[in-house]
Amino acid sequence: MSGLAGKSVGELLLLYRDGAARPAEVVGDCLDAIDSRDRVAGAFLEVFRDEAMARAEELGKEDPGRLPLYGIPVAVKDNICTCGLPTTCGSKILGRYRPPYDATVVERLTAAGAIIIGKTNMDEFAMGSSNEYSAFGRVRNPWNEEYTPGGSSGGSAAAVAAGMVPAALGSDTGGSIRQPASFCGVTGLKGTYGRISRYGLVAFASSFDQIGPIANDAEGCALLMQALAGPDGRDSTAIEEDCPDLLSGLDAGLADLSFGIPEELGSWDLDPAVASALDEASRAVAAAGVAPETVPLPGMEISIACYYVIANAEASSNLARFDGVRYGMRENTGSLGSLYALTRTAGFGEEVKRRILLGTYVLSAGYYDAYYSKALSVREMIRKAYGAVFSRIDLLMLPVTPGQAFLLGEKLDDPVSMYLSDIFTTPANIAGLPAISIPAGLSADGLPVGVQLVAAAGREDVLLRGARGLEKLFRFRERSVPGGGDA
Amino acid sequence: MAGGAGYVTVIGLEVHAQLLTRTKMFCRCPAAFGEEPNTMVCPVCLGLPGALPSVNREAVSMAVRLGLALGCVIERESAFARKNYFYPDAPRNYQISMYDRPLCTGGSLVFEDEGTEVNVRLERIHLEDDAGKLLHGRGGHSLIDFNRCGVPLAEIVTRPEIHSPRQASLFLRRLRQMLRYLEICDGNLEEGSMRVDVNVSLRRTGDDALGTRTEIKNLNSFKAVEAGLEVEIKRQRDELESGGTIVQVTSLWDAREKKLVTMRSKERAHDYRYFPEPDLPLLIIGEGWIEEERAKIPELPLDRERRFRREYGLPAYDAGVLTAESDIADYYEETANLTGEPKTSANWVMRDVLRELKSTGGDIGGFPAGPAALAGLIDLVKGGVVSNSAGADVFAAMIESGESAADAVKRLGLECISEVNELEEIVDRVLESKPDEVERYHRGKKQLMKFFVGQVMKESGGKADPLIVSGILRRKLGE
C-alpha cells in the first residue's frame, strides 16, 4: 500500500507542493490500485476513469498551493448526486439513474481542487450496517475478505482502507460513516447536523443524515471537512454560521481537553478488543493531562428504538418518490396502482421494504402517538442529556460498536441484532452532534477496532484535535496495514 | 334556512388561493402560466432524489398579509408538515403543507346577506405547494405537466358557520375581493387560481350535535358552489326525512349535468400520515416582519365601501359597485376628487365606464380615458359647455381617440349654443317656417311645444340646451 494512492491527504498535498508528484500520477496510481484490488473488494460501483484523468491533467497546469484539496482523488458514496453520472444508492429501483445536477458537496470538492474518481458501493439507500444490502454485490473487508466492511458507507471505507483512494465521502444516518471506518481501520467523521449541506444527498432519514469524510487520518478528515462545510442556501437545515477553523489548532494536543466516558458502558457486553482499545485511550488521555471522568448518559438503551422509529418514519416518506413514474426502474402494467406496487416490489430490496413498512406503520392513524410522538420525546430527552454532558466535558469517549466487524452473512437473517450494533453511534445522530471514529488497534482476529469521540454541537475543531491527539498515541497506521498484520 | 323545516344547514369552506409570487413555494422556478409543459421546472419542484425545499419568503409575506387583513393571529412559530399520498401529479408522493402548527389561526370575514351583516369565523390559513397537472388520453397515455407543481397556495379554512348556499357564495365573493385588494391572488375560479371545497351537513333544529358531513369538490364558479350545495342539501334532507343516515362521502360537481358524482367514501379515505417536514426548520415570524406586512395592507373593501357612503354620500348600492374592485374604486375616487361632484362622478363611472369595460372585456388599467379625462368631461357638462346628451357622444369619442374632453368637443363641434341671441335667431327661423303648427298651437294644441323644441335642437345640430330652448319658445309664442 505504499503507492501514491495509499498516501494520506496531507502527505499528498505536501508532495504536490514540493513538486514531487503530479495529479495525473496520483490518479493513475489510484486507477491501478482499483484495477488490481477492487475485483475482490467490490468497493466501487462506477469508476470515472476518463473524467478523473482529464481533470487531473487540467489541474496539472495549475498552482498546487492555491487549492486546499489540490489533486486529491476522492471516492463518493453512490447516494450523492453526480451530474450526468450514475447515482444508484445501491438500489435496482434507480438502475442507471443519472441526476441532472451535482450535490453541493460535489461542487465544493471540485471547487477545492479534488478529483471525483468514482462512486462507491453501499447498503441500499444507506439502510444497513454491513453493505450486504446493496443490490450490486457485497463489499469485502480489506483486512479479511471473509468479513464485512460495515455499512452503509462500506464501499467508501473499504476503498480508503485498501489504498485505492486517499479519501472518500460517506453518509452517516445512524453510524454509517463511523462504523465502517472502525471496521476497516480508517478515520470517519460525521459533523454537527447541518454542518455539511445535504443538497444532493438522496435522503434516507432527513433529520439524521449527514455527509462526511472518510480518510486515513484525522488531518485528512479535517481538510475535507473544511472544504465541504458551511452554509448553503439550498439546504434550509444547513448551519448558517461558518465552520470553525479545523486545521490551525489540529496539533494542539490533548493537555487541556477534558474527556468523559459514559457510566452506562459497564452494562454492555463489549468485545475484549473494543474494551481494551477504550482502556488504552483512557490511559493515554490520563497520561497527557486529566483522566476521563465517568459521566451519566441516560437513555442510551432506548436510543436504538428512538432512532429506528424516527428514521424509518422519515424513510417511508422520503422513498415514496421512487414509484416508476418519472425515472429509474418501471414495471409497466395496466393500472397506476399496480405500476406503483410492482415497481416498488421489484425495485426495492428486503431491508428497504422492511423499513418502509415499519415507518409507514409508526406514522399511521392510531399508532402515531404510541410510536412517532413518543420517539420525538425521547429524542428531546437524549438531546438534553447530551447538552448536560457537554457542559461538564469537552469530549465524550466511547466505542464505535460493541464488537469487531462481523462475518459476511453473519447477521443477514437477524435484522434486530444488526440494528443493535448501532447502539453507540445513533445517539450522536439523535442529538445532532459531531462524532468521529479513529482506529485504535486490532482484535484477536486481526480486525481493526476503533474508538469514538463525540463533541458538543458545532465543535468539530475540538473533536478533530482530540482525534488527532489520540491518533498520535495509537500510531495505528504505522503499526498495521490491511492483509499484512504489523507493518 | 335552506335546510328546510326542521333542519339547520351547516357549511364549512376550504379555499385554495394560488399566490401571485414571482417564484414557486420551495424553489426559484418562475411561477408562470401558459408556458410549454415542463419548462418551468428544476430538481426541487420535480422532487428529484436529493433535492431539498427552501421557503419562498414572498409567499410567507403574502399569507401574513392575508392573515392580518382577516384578523388572524399570526403564529410566531409555525411548522411545515408532509402529507403523504401517492398520485402522479405530486412528484415526491407527498405534499409539503402545514398541519398542527399553521401560519395563521382564528380571524373572520364579514359580508352582507340581504342587508344583514354576517360574520364567519376562520379556523386557519396555511401555506402549501400546488400539484402538477395531469393530461389524460393523449394516445392512450396520461401526461404530466409539472409547471404548476410547487406554485404556492394559501389554504383558508372556515369554521362550519355558514348556513345557506347563498351565504357560501357571498362569503367567497367577499374573500375573492379581499385577495384581489391585497394583490396576492387573482381569484379566478374558472381557471383554478382560487379553488373551493365545501363541507356540508344538516343538523336537526334544537340539536347541538353536528350531522355527518359530506364534501364537494370541483366547484368552478360561485354559481357551481350554490348549485352543488343546493343539490347536496336536498339529497341529505330527503335521506334524513325518509329515515336514512348520511354516509361520509366526497363528491365531484358535474357542472354540465348539474349533478354530484361520488368520488370516495370514508372507508377509502386517505390516511395522510402527516408528520413534521424534516427538511424545513420552524417558520419563525418576528414582530418586525409582521409590521412590515401590516404596512403594505391597503384600505380593505368593507372599510372603503363604508367610507364611500360616508364621505361621498353615495347610496349603498353605488358604494358596493364602485368598491367591488380596488382599481375601479381608485379610478372613481380620483375622478370624484377632481370634479368635486361625487354623485355625478359615480353615475358616469357606473354607467359609462363600467359598461364600456364590460363590453370590451378590458380592465381599468388600460382604459383610454383616465380619471383626469373623465373629470374634464364632467366639468364641461357641469359648466354647460356640453349638454348632458352630447356628453355621451363626447365620452365615446374620447375612448376611441384618447383625446381630452375639450379636444373631442371642439373636433365634433358639440359646444352648447348658450348665446341667447343665436338661439333666438334659430327659434325665429323655425317658427317662421312652420306657420301651420304655430296656428294649431295657439288654438290649444300645446303638445306641439315638444315638436318645436325638437326642430330647434335639430337646427342647432344638437348643440342647444333644450331647457333654454323651451324657455325662449314659450316667450316667443306669447305664453
Side-chain angles (χ1 to χ4, degrees), chain B residues 128-150:
Chain B
E128 58 188 31
D129 60 348
D130 208 344
K133 269 186 183 162
L134 290 181
L135 309 158
H136 295 294
R138 304 283 168 92
H141 294 288
S142 289
L143 303 175
I144 318 173
D145 176 6
F146 288 109
N147 283 356
R148 194 184 68 177
C149 192

Side-chain angles (χ1 to χ4, degrees), chain A residues 326-348:
Chain A
R326 294 161 304 278
Y327 46 81
M329 192 183 130
R330 170 189 287 189
E331 290 289 301
N332 243 325
T333 63
S335 81
L336 180 63
S338 61
L339 181 144
Y340 287 154
L342 294 181
T343 300
R344 290 165 67 81
T345 300
F348 289 135

Side-chain angles (χ1 to χ4, degrees), chain B residues 199-336:
Chain B
N199 287 297
V200 58
S201 64
L202 297 186
R203 171 163 58 85
R204 224 172 269 279
T205 314
D207 237 359
D208 283 342
L210 290 172
T212 303
R213 62 179 196 180
T214 60
E215 189 178 359
I216 313 173
K217 291 173 176 287
N218 199 38
L219 297 161
N220 294 336
S221 65
F222 296 122
K223 248 186 225 159
V225 170
E226 289 196 52
L229 276 169
E230 295 286 1
V231 169
E232 177 59 13
I233 289 164
K234 182 175 182 312
R235 187 192 70 82
Q236 287 195 18
R237 193 180 53 222
D238 291 350
E239 189 71 47
L240 290 173
E241 278 172 356
S242 63
T245 51
I246 304 300
V247 182
Q248 194 176 327
V249 289
T250 299
S251 311
L252 292 178
W253 175 244
D254 182 336
R256 202 174 320 159
E257 300 288 323
K258 302 230 181 305
K259 65 173 193 188
L260 293 164
V261 183
T262 303
M263 204 164 89
R264 57 170 179 256
S265 60
K266 196 199 176 184
E267 294 78 58
R268 306 215 32 174
H270 284 297
D271 177 359
Y272 290 119
R273 304 190 313 279
Y274 280 100
F275 74 102
E277 167 58 280
D279 287 332
L280 293 169
L282 286 179
L283 181 56
I284 312 278
I285 314 238
E287 202 57 49
W289 193 355
I290 293 176
E291 288 317 308
E292 221 174 274
E293 298 311 322
R294 199 191 300 280
K296 289 185 207 157
I297 296 176
E299 186 181 24
L300 295 170
L302 196 58
D303 296 329
R304 200 163 201 190
E305 192 181 320
R306 286 175 177 154
R307 183 169 60 80
F308 276 19
R309 291 166 69 172
R310 192 178 65 237
E311 224 168 77
Y312 299 118
L314 296 180
Y317 176 78
D318 291 19
V321 171
L322 290 172
T323 55
E325 297 281 348
S326 64
D327 46 7
I328 300 287
D330 291 342
Y331 181 96
Y332 162 73
E333 206 161 9
E334 221 182 310
T335 310

Side-chain angles (χ1 to χ4, degrees), chain A residues 194-225:
Chain A
R195 179 60 82 205
I196 294 179
S197 167
R198 292 185 294 119
Y199 190 81
L201 169 68
V202 180
F204 158 15
S206 314
S207 71
F208 299 120
D209 294 344
Q210 269 297 290
I211 295 170
I214 295 174
N216 281 308
D217 55 14
E219 186 196 25
C221 285
L223 284 158
L224 260 78
M225 178 59 102

Side-chain angles (χ1 to χ4, degrees), chain B residues 1-263:
Chain B
M1 304 249 159
Y7 293 102
V8 176
T9 302
V10 180
I11 299 169
L13 301 174
E14 287 177 21
V15 181
H16 287 88
Q18 220 167 46
L19 297 177
L20 291 168
T21 49
R22 277 160 297 191
T23 56
K24 292 185 180 181
M25 185 67 228
F26 298 116
C27 64
R28 301 293 82 89
C29 286
F33 297 92
E35 306 292 331
E36 279 292 298
N38 297 315
T39 53
M40 304 285 119
V41 293
C42 74
V44 177
C45 57
L46 286 177
L48 292 185
L52 296 172
S54 43
V55 173
N56 179 350
R57 282 182 61 96
E58 193 187 9
V60 177
S61 291
M62 286 182 175
V64 167
R65 240 177 289 158
L66 177 62
L68 290 171
L70 295 172
C72 303
V73 172
I74 310 298
E75 298 295 338
R76 298 305 191 267
E77 282 185 4
S78 53
F80 288 98
R82 290 189 187 175
K83 179 182 183 178
N84 295 285
Y85 65 96
F86 276 79
Y87 206 64
D89 62 2
R92 294 177 300 248
N93 285 324
Y94 58 82
Q95 181 188 31
I96 305 179
S97 180
M98 290 175 143
Y99 185 53
D100 51 1
R101 303 185 69 182
L103 178 58
C104 310
T105 52
S108 63
L109 186 68
V110 175
F111 57 89
E112 260 181 31
D113 181 15
E114 298 188 325
T116 314
E117 215 164 73
V118 182
N119 182 44
V120 172
R121 286 178 296 170
L122 303 179
E123 196 67 52
R124 58 191 280 158
I125 301 174
H126 71 249
L127 282 165
E128 58 188 31
D129 60 348
D130 208 344
K133 269 186 183 162
L134 290 181
L135 309 158
H136 295 294
R138 304 283 168 92
H141 294 288
S142 289
L143 303 175
I144 318 173
D145 176 6
F146 288 109
N147 283 356
R148 194 184 68 177
C149 192
V151 167
L153 298 175
E155 181 172 337
I156 302 123
V157 183
T158 74
R159 292 203 184 183
E161 291 186 348
I162 295 169
H163 297 297
S164 72
R166 190 186 61 241
Q167 278 192 357
S169 163
L170 289 168
F171 174 95
L172 291 167
R173 284 168 203 268
R174 178 65 92 191
L175 179 63
R176 176 181 185 276
Q177 189 187 23
M178 282 285 220
L179 294 166
R180 291 179 57 87
Y181 260 63
L182 293 165
E183 296 177 345
I184 61 174
C185 172
D186 62 19
N188 193 324
L189 272 77
E190 283 78 9
E191 286 172 17
S193 64
M194 180 172 165
R195 277 166 253 163
V196 183
D197 298 340
V198 305
N199 287 297
V200 58
S201 64
L202 297 186
R203 171 163 58 85
R204 224 172 269 279
T205 314
D207 237 359
D208 283 342
L210 290 172
T212 303
R213 62 179 196 180
T214 60
E215 189 178 359
I216 313 173
K217 291 173 176 287
N218 199 38
L219 297 161
N220 294 336
S221 65
F222 296 122
K223 248 186 225 159
V225 170
E226 289 196 52
L229 276 169
E230 295 286 1
V231 169
E232 177 59 13
I233 289 164
K234 182 175 182 312
R235 187 192 70 82
Q236 287 195 18
R237 193 180 53 222
D238 291 350
E239 189 71 47
L240 290 173
E241 278 172 356
S242 63
T245 51
I246 304 300
V247 182
Q248 194 176 327
V249 289
T250 299
S251 311
L252 292 178
W253 175 244
D254 182 336
R256 202 174 320 159
E257 300 288 323
K258 302 230 181 305
K259 65 173 193 188
L260 293 164
V261 183
T262 303
M263 204 164 89

